[in-house]
Amino acid sequence: MTQLDARETVFDPTDPDTMAVRVPHDELLRMRRTAPVSFVPQEPQARAGFPDHEGYWAISRHADVAAVSKNQTDFSTRENGVIIRMGPEMTRDEVEGSSFLLINNDAPDHTKLRQIVSRAFTPRAINALHDSLKARAEKIIDDAVEKGEGNFVEDVAAELPLQAIADLLGVPQEDRGRLFEWSNQLMSYDDPEVEGDQMVAFAEILAYSMALADDRRRHPREDIVTRLISADVDGRGLTDDEFGFFMILLAVAGNETTRNAITWGQHAFMADPAQWELFREQRPRTATDEIIRWATPITAFQRTALREVEVGGVLVPQGARVGLLYASANFDEDVFEDPFTFDITRDPNPHQAFGGHGAHYCIGANLARMEVDLIFNAIADRGLRIEQRGEPNRLRSGWVNGVKDLQVAYR
């Protein structure tokens, strides 16, 4: 196949109006089968921030998503960032201004920054959190049970990721609510139901982070923040600005995504009580990754082709935006047997929910897995069979599979 054979599709998987209702699995299935590498034309408001692009190339098959994720030679995150759909008022200058984020860097800058940030996510650092997070997970569930009923997102799913971030960075637990609000406002620019201003939230979390870094410079502690901002053997720690940008990324990647994985996992268990009973009785080690695959909290990220490059037999032009459709790859029938069945014993489970296995693989993947595991074990240990009391109120977003409200009874 050549570029001339590539098909154009009028369906845009990043349409927030669609995502506000459902993940478009039927359409993604058709894309995988008929046009796995296809051009998606977009109206101007859908490509705000990318004025030189008429749309993007959608990559829907697991093998192709994985290949592009690993290919740092031909594809860039720096050129246009990873966020595939901005708000309709986004300017090109604002897109280019996001290049300070770790995830929007290419090597060698990305490599250097990631080496510094990885100090917060060593196996030793993550394992050291286990006992305290286990106790926190148990208290979160006990508090929810005492409440009786409520919004699972706020009562349970959001709490452990927020408390984990606070524990990891030494942020006072009483400030975790501020992190919750800031991350909501940063991520919800396409949802009119979410109050707040994205740029104000950005400025507030940046100021908070810089103050935290300044405090550690003046009063060093034996904690992660001090290690992140202190010079190592190469004479380099994070600057105050870089630490602030890391906090912004952590507030989103370490909070929003895990929150939604836990929420969709609980929703799946309520929809299939047999799977919940299996989990309660056997606690299969495979359950966590199936929950994460099923949820796929980030439905799509993007790369930019640095040169003309073949993907799945199609020539993608130099400079083109390329959409990595994780929500499609994680339900690819060529990789996952019966992919639309929630199966906590699924093994192997090579999902792409942590961004593939290239240089941008989620640095907090092990922490996210721990949080998901601890919450559902805490629920199971108490013999609960949580009951759904309403349909999920989904986030209107072009790339986040989010839930704002899921009413349940804690039984």
Side-chain angles (χ1 to χ4, degrees):
M1 184 181 289
T2 68
Q3 184 182 347
L4 295 176
D5 298 316
R7 297 189 182 184
E8 183 175 292
T9 176
V10 295
F11 169 69
D12 186 353
T14 72
D15 181 357
D17 285 329
T18 298
M19 288 295 297
V21 178
R22 62 189 174 87
V23 177
H25 283 301
D26 290 343
E27 293 89 340
L28 293 172
L29 176 61
R30 284 196 293 273
M31 289 179 72
R32 288 196 300 276
R33 291 179 175 175
T34 64
V37 180
S38 55
F39 184 74
V40 180
Q42 294 179 301
E43 296 296 324
Q45 68 173 11
R47 49 185 167 86
F50 312 111
D52 297 332
H53 297 260
E54 297 299 317
Y56 67 92
W57 290 77
I59 313 298
S60 56
R61 286 190 306 210
H62 184 281
D64 297 330
V65 169
V68 174
S69 296
K70 296 173 184 176
N71 186 347
Q72 309 305 307
T73 301
D74 297 323
F75 294 97
S76 167
T77 63
R78 173 65 180 82
E79 290 296 311
N80 288 297
V82 300
I83 306 305
I84 193 166
R85 186 162 180 149
M86 303 291 189
E89 306 301 323
M90 180 63 69
T91 68
R92 182 62 194 172
D93 286 345
E94 288 171 334
V95 170
E96 292 180 352
S98 69
S99 62
F100 51 72
L101 292 173
L102 171 66
I103 198 170
N104 286 340
N105 273 252
D106 295 330
D109 293 338
H110 176 267
T111 306
K112 294 175 182 177
L113 281 172
R114 187 176 173 105
Q115 285 175 343
I116 298 170
V117 170
S118 64
R119 300 173 198 171
F121 296 97
T122 64
R124 181 179 180 183
I126 300 305
N127 290 336
L129 295 174
H130 181 274
D131 291 349
S132 66
L133 291 183
K134 182 175 184 293
R136 291 187 183 282
E138 291 168 350
K139 186 176 189 306
I140 288 167
I141 301 306
D142 289 342
D143 289 346
V145 170
E146 184 175 350
K147 184 178 180 182
E149 58 185 29
N151 178 6
F152 183 86
V153 178
E154 294 185 358
D155 296 341
V156 176
E159 272 298 308
L160 192 59
L162 288 169
Q163 293 186 29
I165 292 171
D167 275 355
L168 188 68
L169 296 178
V171 172
Q173 286 292 335
E174 58 267 25
D175 284 350
R176 70 183 186 277
R178 300 170 71 184
L179 291 175
F180 178 79
E181 294 300 327
W182 287 331
S183 67
N184 281 348
Q185 292 165 26
L186 285 169
M187 297 287 278
S188 305
Y189 50 81
D190 267 336
D191 195 321
E193 291 184 357
V194 180
E195 297 180 355
D197 183 275
Q198 183 186 37
M199 298 311 295
V200 171
F202 179 92
E204 288 181 343
I205 193 171
L206 192 62
Y208 182 92
S209 305
M210 289 180 174
L212 184 64
D214 181 64
D215 175 74
R216 294 303 194 275
R217 291 189 192 283
R218 291 185 291 108
H219 308 289
R221 303 182 190 177
E222 291 295 325
D223 66 3
I224 291 295
V225 175
T226 302
R227 291 201 292 275
L228 285 173
I229 64 175
S230 298
D232 64 3
V233 293
D234 296 322
R236 173 92 158 86
L238 293 178
T239 66
D240 285 1
D241 283 350
E242 288 170 341
F243 178 72
F245 303 146
F246 166 66
M247 278 285 287
I248 290 170
L249 188 62
L250 187 62
V252 173
N255 166 28
E256 190 90 17
T257 55
T258 310
R259 173 206 313 179
N260 288 315
I262 292 171
T263 301
W264 285 122
Q266 180 58 44
H267 184 262
F269 279 128
M270 291 186 297
D272 191 342
Q275 285 289 296
W276 178 244
E277 292 306 315
L278 177 62
F279 181 82
R280 288 181 63 231
E281 294 170 3
Q282 298 185 17
R283 313 293 175 94
R285 61 175 179 79
T286 51
T288 294
D289 272 306
E290 178 66 353
I291 290 167
I292 292 167
R293 179 195 76 88
W294 187 259
T296 309
I298 301 300
T299 59
F301 268 163
Q302 75 175 355
R303 301 287 190 270
T304 300
L306 294 173
R307 56 189 59 82
E308 185 180 68
V309 57
E310 182 178 315
V311 180
V314 175
L315 289 178
V316 174
Q318 178 179 355
R321 295 164 56 219
V322 173
L324 304 179
L325 304 184
Y326 304 126
S328 177
N330 284 348
F331 291 82
D332 188 337
E333 59 280 3
D334 288 340
V335 176
F336 303 97
E337 183 178 354
D338 199 8
F340 295 100
T341 295
F342 179 61
D343 178 9
I344 62 171
T345 65
R346 186 181 300 277
D347 189 21
N349 193 341
H351 64 75
Q352 300 286 307
F354 289 123
H357 291 279
H360 291 280
Y361 181 75
C362 177
I363 200 169
N366 288 335
L367 178 59
R369 286 188 176 99
M370 178 186 291
E371 292 166 8
V372 172
D373 177 74
L374 289 174
I375 278 292
F376 286 107
N377 272 285
I379 295 172
D381 286 345
R382 281 146 184 76
L384 300 179
R385 294 177 177 83
I386 298 175
E387 300 172 3
Q388 186 171 331
R389 291 296 175 84
E391 290 303 309
N393 182 9
R394 299 178 56 91
L395 180 70
R396 185 181 185 274
S397 171
W399 54 282
V400 179
N401 186 20
V403 188
K404 296 175 291 188
D405 189 286
L406 178 61
Q407 291 296 314
V408 302
Y410 302 103
R411 300 285 187 262

